[in-house]
Amino acid sequence: MIRLGIVGATGYTGVELLRLLVPRDDVEILVVTSRELQGTKVAEHFPTLRGHLDLAFCGPDDPGLYDCDAVFFATPHGVAMHSAAALLEAGVRVIDLSADFRLKDRFSWERWYKTKHTSPELIREAVYGLPELNRDSIRSARLIAVPGCYPTAIQLGFLPLLEKNLVALDRLIADAKSGVSGAGRQAMEDYLLCEASESIRAYGLSGHRHHPEITQTLTQVAAKPVHLTFIPHLTPMVRGILASLYAPLDVGVSLCEADLQSIYEARYASEPFVEVLPAGESPATRMVKGSNKCAISVNYFRETNTAVVLVVEDNLVKGASGQAIQNLNIMFGLDESTGLKGIVLLP
């Protein structure tokens, strides 16, 4: 039995962790924290858990966290870095869903997140939790930095092209659309129903915090600097990300759509949560809703010699909590798909 704690469980990623973990009989949730809701029953705040979880929220410094085998941080950025060291010293493994340990360049992190990093000594140790790339390192990790939602989709979409050295690294484009839940469970005008519905808009044009995370991994894979134009969009839906990726083939590279299809099918053939769709089939966010699946289609435009890769995922599952649990399974030697085999929600 794996004993678990969840710090900051009142947001969307926190309750998604609970939704996926509570039905399992191989884990026990010992501690669920919330600074504002201490003493309140979790099922009172989340009625969907009524009859499934009989715990009350406790404070974020509850000593019960040190009795856990692993603790998830489903907290805003800048929280986990204050607590991770003490937990690790006590032998507790940490899976952080925030960005506190994603960037290897401390000064880049401080520039993007506009605060001083209080645990720079842990940045080097943290393993970037993209199983399709770092599975071997995840197995023995003490500290996991779960990738962001946009980075997960974009990295999985570009990886096969970069691994085969097929594309021009200075002209990559990621045009990505996300549901409103990607902004978190916060009361802000831009995310009110009347503001977000029946409209779509680009944001982060001057720079998005996920951009350095994406290019860090792509540069690592390519072993050369990668230059990416990344434009995120807010769409009037609750869940889901659709990333349209544009990659001009490099000088001298000659491929057809069938070649690209074969490359992607071979790369992800053994991956339980990446599905390469049949040639000619386009993905839709409804195909992955509520699941840990990432669906990819590969296309080729001969006129511009460009590969166009379409990727969809549920931003709260494969883009956050599901991927965190996928990491947990790997860390504890379980079947990677344990607790993540649910069928996609429809409609």
Side-chain angles (χ1 to χ4, degrees):
M1 185 72 71
I2 303 171
R3 300 164 298 173
L4 300 175
I6 301 174
V7 178
T10 56
Y12 291 135
T13 57
V15 71
E16 196 72 357
L17 284 170
L18 290 169
R19 179 180 75 87
L20 295 168
L21 290 168
V22 164
R24 292 176 55 166
D25 57 11
D26 61 340
V27 302
E28 179 184 5
I29 300 173
L30 297 184
V31 180
V32 181
T33 84
S34 168
R35 191 179 302 277
E36 295 80 12
L37 296 176
Q38 293 181 56
T40 302
K41 288 282 190 178
V42 175
E44 288 180 15
H45 190 65
F46 293 121
T48 53
L49 296 173
R50 192 171 293 145
H52 299 282
L53 183 66
D54 187 24
L55 279 179
F57 290 107
C58 58
D61 299 319
D62 190 275
L65 291 169
Y66 293 90
D67 296 325
C68 296
D69 298 305
V71 168
F72 294 94
F73 279 84
T75 50
H77 311 307
V79 175
M81 64 180 181
H82 294 293
S83 304
L87 288 167
L88 293 171
E89 188 175 344
V92 180
R93 299 170 93 170
V94 172
I95 303 173
D96 179 26
L97 281 76
S98 81
D100 284 11
F101 301 102
R102 293 176 189 162
L103 297 184
K104 293 303 181 184
D105 184 335
R106 167 191 175 182
F107 300 105
S108 175
W109 187 92
E110 292 178 345
R111 183 168 65 252
W112 282 96
Y113 292 92
K114 303 186 188 312
T115 189
K116 185 176 178 60
H117 203 294
T118 59
S119 295
E121 71 282 358
L122 294 178
I123 292 175
R124 181 176 295 180
E125 177 182 350
V127 172
Y128 191 64
L130 190 66
E132 294 79 8
L133 186 63
N134 294 326
R135 185 172 283 108
D136 289 343
S137 298
I138 290 168
R139 287 192 179 97
S140 58
R142 297 194 309 157
L143 173 60
I144 294 289
V146 179
C149 51
Y150 281 128
T152 296
I154 294 169
Q155 290 166 172
L156 289 175
F158 277 133
L159 281 183
L161 298 173
L162 271 60
E163 289 172 344
K164 296 289 186 180
N165 300 309
L166 298 176
V167 296
L169 300 178
D170 60 344
R171 290 183 288 147
L172 301 183
I173 297 174
D175 179 304
K177 284 88 173 173
S178 174
V180 181
S181 63
R185 203 179 190 201
Q186 52 187 321
M188 292 183 64
E189 181 178 308
D190 285 347
Y191 311 124
L192 298 175
L193 176 65
C194 291
E195 302 294 329
S197 66
E198 299 185 39
S199 178
I200 181 171
R201 66 177 178 85
Y203 66 99
L205 294 174
S206 62
H208 189 282
R209 292 186 297 188
H210 282 171
H211 189 278
E213 179 185 341
I214 298 167
T215 56
Q216 173 180 266
T217 299
L218 298 185
T219 295
Q220 171 193 334
V221 171
K224 299 176 185 176
V226 171
H227 301 282
L228 172 74
T229 300
F230 168 45
I231 307 296
H233 298 73
L234 183 70
T235 62
M237 61 184 180
V238 174
R239 291 172 178 257
I241 282 179
L242 167 63
S244 301
L245 311 179
Y246 304 89
L249 298 188
D250 209 353
V251 176
V253 174
S254 178
L255 293 172
C256 64
E257 191 158 310
D259 296 327
L260 289 170
Q261 182 76 19
S262 296
I263 288 168
Y264 274 76
E265 288 178 353
R267 174 60 175 85
Y268 291 122
S270 62
E271 294 297 342
F273 295 114
V274 180
E275 178 185 10
V276 179
L277 300 178
E281 184 175 332
S282 295
T285 55
R286 68 189 306 221
M287 295 170 58
V288 296
K289 185 177 180 181
S291 81
N292 199 53
K293 186 168 71 172
C294 174
I296 297 177
S297 76
V298 191
N299 308 272
Y300 174 67
F301 288 76
R302 185 176 302 279
E303 295 82 357
T304 56
N305 198 30
T306 299
V308 177
V309 183
L310 306 178
V311 186
V312 294
E313 70 179 16
D314 186 318
N315 57 292
L316 294 178
V317 191
K318 182 57 175 169
S321 302
Q323 185 148 254
I325 293 170
Q326 190 178 352
N327 276 272
L328 174 81
N329 292 339
I330 295 169
M331 293 167 78
F332 285 88
L334 304 176
D335 183 317
E336 194 166 326
S337 301
T338 303
L340 297 171
K341 298 177 182 178
I343 295 172
V344 172
L345 301 175
L346 188 68

